[in-house]
Amino acid sequence: MRSSGEDSTSENGYSIPLKDYPKDTSPSKRADSSSDYYKEQHVEQIRPFTDNDFDEVLNENDSEFFDLGIPVQKENTDPGLLEMNSPYLSKSRTSDHPDETLLKKGIKNRDKYSVKRTLKKPDYFHRASPIFTKILSEIYSSILRVVACPEPKDDSCFRDRRYRDICKKVYMSIPYNILIFCLILTQGVILMIQSDDPHHKQTSVNVILFIIAGFYTLEMFLKVYLFGLVYDGSYSFHSLVDSYKKGRPRDMSYMRHSWNRIDFVSIISIWVMLFSNDYGIYGLFAMLSSFRLTRLLNVTRRTESILRSLKDSSSLLVHVVSFVGFFGVLMAILGVQFFKRSFLRQCIWIADDQSQSIPTGQFCGGYWLNGTIQPYVMSSGQSSNVKPRGYICPQNSVCQDYENPYENTVKFDNFFNSLELIFVIMSSNTFTDLMYDMMDAEYFVSCVFFIFGTFLLTFWLMSFVIAVVDNSFLLLQTRDDNKDKKTEKPRKFVYIKHRFSRHYLGYSDYIWITLIVVYFIVLATHSYNVDNNTNWKYYIFYCVFNSLLAFEMLLRFIAYLPNWRGFFIKYTNWMDTVLAIMNLISLAPPICNNPLLSGWLSIFSIARVYRVVLLVPYTRKIAKLLFSNFIRLLNLMLFLFILLFIASMLSVRLFQNLPPSDDPSNDVDFSNTYAAFLNMYQIFSSENWTDIVYNVQERLGPYKLAWLPAAFFTLWFVFSNNIVLSMFISVIQFNLSRSNTDLKLQQLRMYLARLLRNYNPFQASLTLNALLKRNDSQIRKDKEDIYRKWILEDSVIKGFLNDSTIPSDERLEARFDTSPNAPKYSPSRIFSILKSFLLREDPFSQAYFKKIIGLRWNKDMNLKTAEKDMKAAKAFVRIKQAEYLKEHPKFNYVFWFIKPSNGLRKLCQKLVEPGCNERYKGVEPNQWIYRIFQVFIYACIVCAVALACVTTPIYERNHMYLSQEGKTAWFIWTEVGFSLIFTLEAAIKIIADGFCFTPNAYVRNTWNCIDLFVLVTFWINIFAILTNRGSLSRAFRAFKALRVLRLVNLTRAPQHMFHDVLISGFFKIASAMVVSLSLLIPFALWAKNIFGGQLYSCNDSNVNVRGECIHEYAASPNNWEIWAPRVWSNPSAYNFDSFPHALLILFEIVSLEGWIDVMRDVMNITGMNMQPQDNASSGYAMFFVLFNLISTIYILTLFVAIIIRNYTERSGSAFYTSEQKAWLELKRLIKSMRPSTRSAVRPPGFRGRCYDFSVDKHGKWRNVFTGIYIFHVITLMTIFTPCPIAYTYVRNSIFLLLSVLYVINIGVRIYGLSVYYYFHSFWNIFDVIVTFGSLTCNILALVGFSSKSLTLIQTIFLSLITIHLIPRFDCFDQLFKTVIVSLPSVMSLIATWLVLFITFAIAFNQIFGLTKMGEHGGTNRNFRSIRNALVILFMMSCGEGWNSVMHDYAVSFPNCVNDTDFYSSDCGNRPWAYALFISWNIVSMYIFVNMFITVVFENFTYVSSNTFKTLRRSDFRQFKQFWAPFDPMVTGFIPKRNVARFLVSLRGVYDCRVYRDDFSVTNLVTRTKLGNDALGNNTSNLSFDNEFEYDAKINLNDLDDALLDLNVDEIRKRRKSLNLLYSELMMLPGNVVSFSDMLMVIVLHKVIDHKLVLPISDFIRRTYVLSRLEETYRFEKLMDLIETSNVRRTFLNHLKERKKAMENPFITLEEVSNLSAPLVSETSSQNNFNPNQLQISPSLGVRSPSYTNSLVPSQTTGSLLSVEIGSPTPSQNMASTFNDNEIPRTPQTPSFKDAIIRGSHSLRSVSDQHSTHEMEAGFGVTTAGAGSTEDLNQIVDQIDDYLEL
């Protein structure tokens, strides 16, 4: 059996390698590790069957044994257990037990937990192929996976029952597993049969279901009998309860396993269903009875692993979904108050005689009556007396309350219906219909609610769901990929003998692929309606083409000779051979004469497009990466189809007998499995999925079951569209990712390239930051120079790569070529040659420098000599530039006559910066003049944008024609003025640096080219307006919008976002587009061949053939009968008659928009020139299902994966290892942390109780208010309409009471924490605002002040109160922090996107501002104003109806009025429509919408990775507790003079003490002290000193024995670590240390190993700091030794003097005792020693502080010295030593004896406010007491020993 812990190390996230951190040996960990056998591993342990297994084992008699890939445990020798695992078990002839000799010979150790089973090959397999055995093994493995029986560990797992042995044999037998598997399949088949004909086969199906239910029931009883229902008796019942609470190992009981619980629900539901007649109960339990079919998801190993990954991420997924749902609930509550009763109002047409009234379905807010606007009418017939808003109904109609849509199911009138519509917003499909309907019913500003909900819920928060699934599935793929690498077979290479054959195979592809391209061109021109002669010519061409390609296969086979087997090794040869044969068959006359059959078989000729894709390098690379894991994609598609089948079966059982609606033609069909499959797939694709929901709700509304379809379809949508589809993104992203082996090398490449690159595409673009920046650029430049030189150190590079064997001269060569054996003249190389020939690069171009330095491809980059290479490249370029100027002396002349010395040119150069590069022989711009000029230009740009937003085409037409202003209108001449200003700007730049052929030419900058193009279009548009050239004006007026793009340069974040998304990733996105075309083009050709000319229909449904579609017929629009002409035509928006039309409609389908309508029309096809009939060709729907699925996987997910990959590569996170990602998460967490906003001292009395209520996160007070907040949310959910006044009064009273409770809570917390500490928290400030706001609104509402504005404000405040639930749940709190972390990136993304919104809005408005509204237009759905354009662009960004709007604005004559005057025409513009709509669809929907997923995915490691394996939340809380006493005012800073005390106070993972645990003074005293009896007997080895506070008597012999266990090396490491840590903290700027800096530095020193976890930039800075700290530490150590030597010498001199004094009879004993030793400062001065004169390096001229020096007395005062780096002056030292409010105290010199005994580090003045034990805690002393003393001579001997070391 495989150990279940094998893969547990990386499934749950990343962990940081620890440094000096103890292992966790808690009992919970041991319990988890010992619980492997309780897991449902029976399926997980099935090993894949390989061909090598057949030859592994042979017994002595040459008997063959076969391994079925099912490992078993060594201890499982029971025959029943062995029998369960294999159908072919070798047994002894005389016993039922297995032959032990055979078993022993077959055992092979795979690991210490598992063995290999060997099975004797049966006789009837001797002549059979081994493949049969392999297939049989895989089938039985699938059976075991589907049955999924939990494997018992041993016999003790079975309950002790009378018939246990018999039941056990049945349970573990092979026929039992096969029977259960067959029953599951039978149930699925029976349900399909019943769904196809539910009435005629009801009785027989029920009988079979009775039988199946009986078997299922017996199976359940068998398991319950063997293992128990919820308790198997293996341990006490108390332990059972604990296992549920604490997550301990589960037992073998029936209900403890998920699959058994599903079976239990299914079995109970079957019996309830069979005896129930009620529709609702029958349908619900009929659906639940089919749940057992979900076991089929385990059919393969890959699908099983997909389920396992979902299960592993289920807890986090639930948290994320709950978090998103919480905000959805708040939006639903707001939606009720904002929009209740809004969907009731409709325009009702009333006949002139009042005899007839017809609801029009148009929502409204008022109506016209005799020229005045009236408010809407209530259902009672009375006027509402409210202000009219929204859409105003025309004359002869009334805006009146009528009925909510879809039988009163779509509305915001109560919480649950509002929540359903909020989820429609979250799905980002069909919600814009609700938005525009609400804008018609209410105000235009109503769209803000929907836009905000979409951005927050869909784009932002729902991306977390995708990130959860993506992260979990990526971990699974990484684990599986590591396993696959171990069994990866070597690639087979084929040797081609003949040289001519090798050349043929290398170069012939270009000829044949050119022929294939010609074939596609011809096929695209082949139409369905060509004449017979032309059709015959096409047939001849097809015959010749396919014959040539068949002959090509023959030539290719001959080229492999004599090694003909090598031909069949390459898969492409197999593929081309099959295609050649099938295409020859398709040319047979019977097939060609059948258009339908030949159209379907044309796929074999179209499939040759893969050869074209593989020819182009970029597309070949992406295609290979896309399908590098094709098996996993296939298994994921299989998983999806099984899910669709199960969902279809469930939906059929639930909705098969739906009652008909009033309009049966629009009814959704769930009558059979196929129809249900199409409906469930439609929901999966999200296209118009609400049509199904609304329709079923409408039909079940009268039965009060409208909630059932809403819940069912919503759950299916979430699981399929948001979860399963995310797995495809994960697979493609994994394929595009790089291997983990070279991640650090890639980081090093990127860092060097970024460090050495000096060209920026935005170099000449001034940002707002540049205008406001300070003069710190030189400081940053110096730091970059230091780091650049530091990284080029060889040891630093090797340290980062963790490989000391890397040679110093290794070069970083890129591996971009995916085909190393490509021919010499590949298309890419030919293109490069042509490019270099046509676009010759001069030495002043950016490309030339990149070519020299090799930064473009990261080639020729030497790790050690990169700096020299850079300088050499610059020097080389300068030489080439000088040589070039000698050859072309006028190259630096502007227009060949303005010299560099020209005065005007120098003046212009002072105004602007060069377009690119450094200005060559010119004047640098004056910073002030340059900035003023740039600010003026940007102000003009903003004004020009504002002018374009105001002067819409309608505004211009009204002023030029209606106001008779004509060409003198103010906006025309304003535009002329702006054009002159921009022309002047361009002229200044051109005069300063030249236009084209100069070193710093104007057109060398991309933004200058855009500005020049816009400037030219400005003048052309002005010319067209002044000369009345309407067509010319329409063609160029949209280009003025490009000027808006300059706004992205206002700030740096949008600038970088724009560059990273659209500039840097352009080629990758373009390559993805080309690869996408490789899918669109073949399917478009295939669809043209199949459906061309078959979508025609007659508008009269009574016509059967085309010939009858003539004359007129009686049409009945809105039940009004009128005569209309019959028309035989295609659908208005799409057809497949030609290749361009087919390509366009398939491109629209790729965006998941409109494909349902196309599919339904295709399903009605009956034949050429035949009237379509409902579902006449329902099988055609599979074409669109297949294309939609492939395009979703192939195009949409490819775009998402490429965008994610490009963005992460630009940011560098794509190359981070798992440990580095965990570190970045921890780093973000530390930076976001703040000290606890509470006092460190608990107040006494009642205030202390209030303090406890405030700070206890799990106390009763907090739990009570958590329940109150939940009750608050529930109360908000009860808001509905129409609502009785009494209930509204009661609800407002409840809210008032709750507000009072909230005020009491605030008062308690303020009283307990004090006002100062309370208002230090953002949540507390937020609490005060929303609480008092809601209190005020509730009081006003109760006193009778009623208005809609007050109600809305009250609801907003009440909703904001519920935000307090976020910090009360840890999962919500972490996710909220993740949202905050991603906020800056999201805001910069939105800012960049907003610029594009304005750009395209102006362009659409200028082109289509006068176009007539089409079928999908409306009052607000048009481009006639900028605000309408922005809203409709937002709609199209979500993919909502963009293609329908595009076709509306492509209208042309005769369907519109066409005029030469632009202002008199209302026609659209087809080229502009296709260009603008498609480009906006790609830029916005494909790129920027997916960028939200990218940004969230970039920051999601903040939650997904399990950092708390290293640092738990309790560790952070503990650090805050240590911090609190040193920062009582919660400033977030502590003075540097308190750093030493703070460090020695730390415990746990942050412990900085040198002596810990058993070797602390307290513990040593406890272990070595003597009692009173021992004290009386032995006093020779005792030591005591009354000067200490300790009263214990120490046995020095025991003390010596105790100190023998002291690890001296470990103590030295700790002392060194403490000194380095203290030194780094003291080197921080300023006189204080912040909370985050302190925690960050301590974590770097005490927790992590920087060599493994730091990214390249952090690693370089860290190693640089550590190297300087190491130098400082060594210098300090040397200085300490010198000072110690001086102290020793002085002390010995003192002893000699004292000894002489003792011997001197003229000196009394009192005078001798008064002699004291000099201080260190005196000693140094006496010996003429100055420590600062000893310098190791110039950077260490001022002695750096260490922990020891921080406690050494000052040389001047003897007090505690506080040293500051960078402040060597006396005044600064004095400022750092004392606070402003402190008065320096006169120090008292301690005794010399005290200094020697306690060490120099403990010398301090008596006036110091800290006690002795606080300072000694750093050396192991934890409590006060009396200590022992030693003879001074012993101390001197210890000093001598120390000096000798």
Side-chain angles (χ1 to χ4, degrees), residues 913-968:
E913 284 188 347
C916 64
N917 308 334
E918 298 177 358
R919 181 165 283 157
Y920 193 85
K921 292 184 179 181
V923 179
E924 292 300 322
N926 184 285
Q927 290 299 318
W928 286 107
I929 299 176
Y930 165 69
R931 294 187 182 193
I932 294 173
F933 182 73
Q934 289 296 324
V935 169
F936 173 73
I937 293 298
Y938 273 108
C940 293
I941 292 174
V942 173
C943 294
V945 171
L947 178 66
C949 293
V950 173
T951 57
T952 63
I954 290 182
Y955 183 91
E956 293 177 356
R957 184 184 63 181
N958 293 338
H959 280 72
M960 293 181 65
Y961 291 94
L962 299 182
S963 300
Q964 301 297 323
E965 295 181 11
K967 300 176 183 179
T968 62

Side-chain angles (χ1 to χ4, degrees), residues 1377-1394:
K1377 290 178 180 178
T1378 304
V1379 173
I1380 298 301
V1381 167
S1382 61
L1383 183 60
S1385 300
V1386 170
M1387 295 307 297
S1388 63
L1389 176 64
I1390 292 176
T1392 308
W1393 201 0
L1394 181 61

Side-chain angles (χ1 to χ4, degrees), residues 948 951-953 1400-1409 1423-1426 1429:
T951 57
T952 63
F1400 276 87
I1402 294 175
F1404 275 101
N1405 174 257
Q1406 294 295 326
I1407 297 297
F1408 305 114
F1423 294 105
R1424 297 187 176 181
S1425 66
I1426 297 298

Side-chain angles (χ1 to χ4, degrees), residues 1615 1619 1672-1688 1720 1729 1731 1734 1743-1750 1752 1800-1801 1839 1842-1843:
R1615 182 180 290 110
N1619 283 322
T1672 305
Y1673 174 74
R1674 292 175 181 176
F1675 177 76
E1676 189 68 34
K1677 187 175 181 181
L1678 178 60
M1679 300 300 297
D1680 289 340
L1681 289 175
I1682 295 174
E1683 289 186 10
T1684 305
S1685 177
N1686 281 274
V1687 170
R1688 176 183 177 274
V1720 177
F1729 171 73
L1734 182 61
R1743 187 174 173 186
S1744 299
S1746 66
Y1747 174 81
T1748 304
N1749 289 329
S1750 68
V1752 174
S1800 62
H1801 56 274
I1839 294 176
Y1842 180 76
L1843 292 175

Side-chain angles (χ1 to χ4, degrees), residues 359 1037 1129 1235 1269 1702 1802:
R1037 65 188 299 118
S1129 63
Y1269 286 130
M1702 292 289 291
S1802 61

Side-chain angles (χ1 to χ4, degrees), residues 687-688 691 1134 1153-1162 1444:
E687 168 60 10
N688 293 339
D691 292 345
Y1134 53 86
E1153 190 63 30
W1155 73 275
I1156 296 297
D1157 299 331
V1158 181
M1159 183 185 71
R1160 298 297 180 188
D1161 286 342
V1162 169
S1444 302

Side-chain angles (χ1 to χ4, degrees), residues 721-738:
N721 187 270
N722 295 114
I723 297 178
V724 177
L725 194 59
S726 302
M727 296 181 182
F728 288 98
I729 300 175
S730 178
V731 172
I732 297 177
Q733 185 185 357
F734 179 78
N735 294 340
L736 295 177
S737 63
R738 301 178 187 269

Side-chain angles (χ1 to χ4, degrees), residues 869-986:
D869 293 342
M870 184 70 178
K871 293 180 179 179
K874 287 185 176 180
F876 179 80
V877 170
R878 285 294 184 183
I879 292 172
K880 288 295 182 182
Q881 290 175 353
E883 293 177 354
Y884 190 84
L885 286 177
K886 288 182 179 180
E887 297 177 359
H888 308 82
K890 292 188 177 182
F891 184 76
N892 199 17
Y893 288 15
V894 177
F895 300 121
W896 295 279
F897 69 90
I898 303 178
K899 299 180 180 181
S901 59
N902 185 280
L904 178 62
R905 184 175 179 181
K906 289 183 178 181
L907 177 63
C908 294
Q909 288 178 347
K910 291 182 179 180
L911 294 176
V912 295
E913 284 188 347
C916 64
N917 308 334
E918 298 177 358
R919 181 165 283 157
Y920 193 85
K921 292 184 179 181
V923 179
E924 292 300 322
N926 184 285
Q927 290 299 318
W928 286 107
I929 299 176
Y930 165 69
R931 294 187 182 193
I932 294 173
F933 182 73
Q934 289 296 324
V935 169
F936 173 73
I937 293 298
Y938 273 108
C940 293
I941 292 174
V942 173
C943 294
V945 171
L947 178 66
C949 293
V950 173
T951 57
T952 63
I954 290 182
Y955 183 91
E956 293 177 356
R957 184 184 63 181
N958 293 338
H959 280 72
M960 293 181 65
Y961 291 94
L962 299 182
S963 300
Q964 301 297 323
E965 295 181 11
K967 300 176 183 179
T968 62
W970 68 271
F971 51 84
I972 296 179
W973 297 106
T974 304
E975 194 165 311
V976 171
F978 282 123
S979 300
L980 290 174
I981 293 175
F982 296 141
T983 303
L984 178 62
E985 179 203 11

